[in-house]
Each structure stands twice: as structure tokens, then as C-alpha cells.
Amino acid sequence: MGFLLPLSLLVLLAVAYPGGRSARRCWAARAQSPGGSSPTLSATTAPFWVRISPNFIAVRPGSSVWLNCSSSCPLLEGSTLHTGLRRGQKLSGPSWISFQLLDVRAWSSEVHCFLTCAGVTRGATARIHAYKPPHRVILEPPVLEGREHILRCHVTHVFPVGFLVVTLQRGGRVIYSESLERFTGLDLANVTLTYKFQARPHDLWKPVTCHARLNLDGLVVGSSSAPVTLTSWAWSPASKALASTSIAAFVGILLVLGAVYLRKYLLMQSEA
Ligand SMILES: *[C@@H]1O[C@H](CO)[C@@H](O)[C@H](O)[C@H]1NC(C)=O
Ligand SMILES: *[C@@H]1O[C@H](CO)[C@@H](O)[C@H](O)[C@H]1NC(C)=O
């Protein structure tokens, strides 16, 4: 047990660098049966269905999306949209309305559209998720400072940080794991985890890797660093004694928000 002993831990969060265009990824839309549910449909009116398309979409944070709310109604009398997201342009036809939503930043948003046909209103719901898997996970070679080794793991361009778990493994075994759920910022972020420990002889030459994982309500995305190994070891009689006692871990956090960086990032995305 306890090959690597946490003496102090430091998590640094910095606003993501605005580069790195990446393809928008859509999750497979859930099967949707035509027809929303509306209790207002009466037996005396012709039934009609309302559909929203896509009804499930995942985008990069800050993106805009178009949703098309369509129906089997030959001539709609009205439409309403319920959403907390910012609205953009609108297009419509006799039986459909298509609308743009801007700057999707929240990790998960719900959009309801209601269409009225022959005095009857029916609705359909779409869910929009915004996320960005880590661009890179980089584990720096361990640095020996005095008797301590320092491991630094950088996770770049990730969102939402609150769903991120950064794990250090030695030979496939978890030596440290940090969940960043306390971070609720709406920006892409760079995360740096600094892990200090006192190595013991058998820690030498064993591969250490860093893993960044976003667990998004069941969808897990992430990546891992290349392995690094400890090649030097500062032996002292104290290190063995230290290793067998428990030492409180210390976590320090710095969070910087960056609307400017995000805007640039979005510009690059829209040009992409
Ligand atoms: C975020 O990480 C990228 C890639 O390593 C780097 O170029 C950029 O400077 C970082 N941004 C900040 C604000 O630290
Ligand atoms: C919206 O959907 C309807 C029905 O499928 C289609 O006829 C219409 O062209 C779509 N509008 C846009 C802007 O995509």
C-alpha cells in the first residue's frame, strides 16, 4: 500500500487557450415517435403531431444551434418557444418553424416548442448538451526537489470542468484521483494537477500515467497521457518512516474565467 504519498496537491485551473478547432459531435438522436403529448387534444379536432429536430444534440460550449419544430398541421396558427437560451434568427413555413439558439454554454439545456393548429396546442422537447473532451493530457517527467518528487499533469481545453476526474496511475493502479465537481464555471479550462510525494525504492522504473475523464450523465469521454517513470530516488531513513504514516493532503485551487478567450475560440470555430 501507499507507494506514493501525497504531501501536497495543487490544482490549477486556467482559462483555455483559444485554439484547437474541433469537429462538432452529435450524439445519436433518441428515437422519437411523431406526436408530442398534449392533453388539450380533443376528440372533435383532427390529431396532429409536433416534432423537434434534432431532439438531442451535443455541441461545443458557446456554439449556436438550429432546431426545427415541425408538425403535420397544414397551416399553423401560432408557435411558442420556451428556453433559457438566447434566441437568434427564425425561419418558418406553413407547418414548421426553425429557430437558432445562440451561445450554448450550460452543460445541459432543455428547449420546449409549442405549435397551435386548429385551436389545439401541442409541444415537443429537445435537450442540448455542451461539452468539450480534453484536447491533450500531458504528464511532465517527474522532478526531484529535495526528497520529494513532483508530478504535473496538464489537461487542456476541457468543459464542463465540474464533470472532470483527473487520475494518476502507477502500473495501472490508481494512486490519486481528484474530482473537480466544485467547479461550475461556464468556460473552457486548462487544468493542472500538481502531485508531490516521497518515493520509495520500489517506485522506480514503474510507469506513471495521468488520465482525464469527463463523465457526462453516462457518456464517458477522455484521454490519457504518455507514461513517465521515476528514474532517481533520494534515499533517506526518513522516507520510509514518512511513507508509513498518513499525512494530510492539501489542495489549492485557482480558477480564472476567460470570456475573451472563449470568444476567440468561437470565432475560430465558426470559421472552421
Ligand atoms: C492552455 O493550454 C494550451 C495548450 O497547452 C496553452 O497553449 C495555453 O497557453 C493555455 N492557456 C492558458 C490560459 O493557460
Ligand atoms: C423544417 O422541417 C420541415 C419538415 O421536415 C422541412 O420541410 C423544412 O424545410 C425544415 N426547415 C428548415 C429550415 O430546415
Side-chain angles (χ1 to χ4, degrees), residues 2-8 195-198 242-247:
F3 303 95
L4 305 175
L5 197 66
L7 293 180
S8 73
Y195 182 85
K196 293 188 186 182
F197 65 100
Q198 202 132 18
L242 272 173
S244 56
T245 51
S246 91
I247 292 170

Side-chain angles (χ1 to χ4, degrees), residues 91-239:
L91 291 170
S92 61
S95 63
W96 56 269
I97 172 152
S98 192
F99 48 88
Q100 188 188 29
L101 297 167
L102 306 171
D103 196 27
V104 180
R105 297 259 206 130
W107 138 243
S108 186
S109 323
E110 219 171 50
V111 180
H112 307 275
C113 104
F114 295 95
L115 300 180
T116 305
C117 183
V120 177
T121 300
R122 310 195 72 166
T125 302
R127 182 165 288 282
I128 305 175
H129 281 178
Y131 79 97
K132 168 76 183 62
H135 178 59
R136 290 183 75 191
V137 180
I138 303 153
L139 183 59
E140 287 180 10
V143 176
L144 184 63
E145 271 183 20
R147 285 181 197 155
E148 283 179 352
H149 278 91
I150 300 172
L151 284 172
R152 267 194 196 89
C153 179
H154 305 283
V155 181
T156 63
H157 303 166
V158 65
F159 180 85
V161 177
F163 289 70
L164 183 71
V165 177
V166 183
T167 303
L168 289 173
Q169 295 186 5
R170 191 189 120 284
R173 212 180 68 99
V174 173
I175 53 175
Y176 182 71
S177 187
E178 172 97 23
S179 165
L180 305 182
E181 60 204 9
R182 60 201 173 279
F183 296 106
T184 53
L186 295 182
D187 290 281
L188 287 171
N190 281 357
V191 177
T192 299
L193 177 91
T194 303
Y195 182 85
K196 293 188 186 182
F197 65 100
Q198 202 132 18
R200 293 161 68 186
H202 58 250
D203 292 330
L204 290 178
W205 304 109
K206 287 184 181 159
V208 179
T209 46
C210 180
H211 307 259
R213 206 174 63 244
L214 280 176
N215 191 339
L216 307 165
D217 287 350
L219 174 84
V220 180
V221 293
S223 46
S224 306
S225 72
V228 300
T229 46
L230 266 61
T231 54
S232 59
W233 174 63
W235 193 88
S236 80
S239 44

Side-chain angles (χ1 to χ4, degrees), residues 49-122:
W49 50 257
V50 174
R51 190 159 44 197
I52 192 163
S53 175
N55 70 339
F56 190 75
I57 185 171
V59 298
R60 292 295 178 251
S63 308
S64 304
V65 296
W66 278 92
L67 296 178
N68 187 345
C69 193
S70 59
S71 73
S72 59
C73 178
L75 189 61
L76 290 168
E77 287 158 12
S79 65
T80 12
L81 188 66
H82 290 205
T83 175
L85 296 167
R86 241 174 72 213
R87 294 144 202 249
Q89 291 165 267
K90 220 154 73 168
L91 291 170
S92 61
S95 63
W96 56 269
I97 172 152
S98 192
F99 48 88
Q100 188 188 29
L101 297 167
L102 306 171
D103 196 27
V104 180
R105 297 259 206 130
W107 138 243
S108 186
S109 323
E110 219 171 50
V111 180
H112 307 275
C113 104
F114 295 95
L115 300 180
T116 305
C117 183
V120 177
T121 300
R122 310 195 72 166

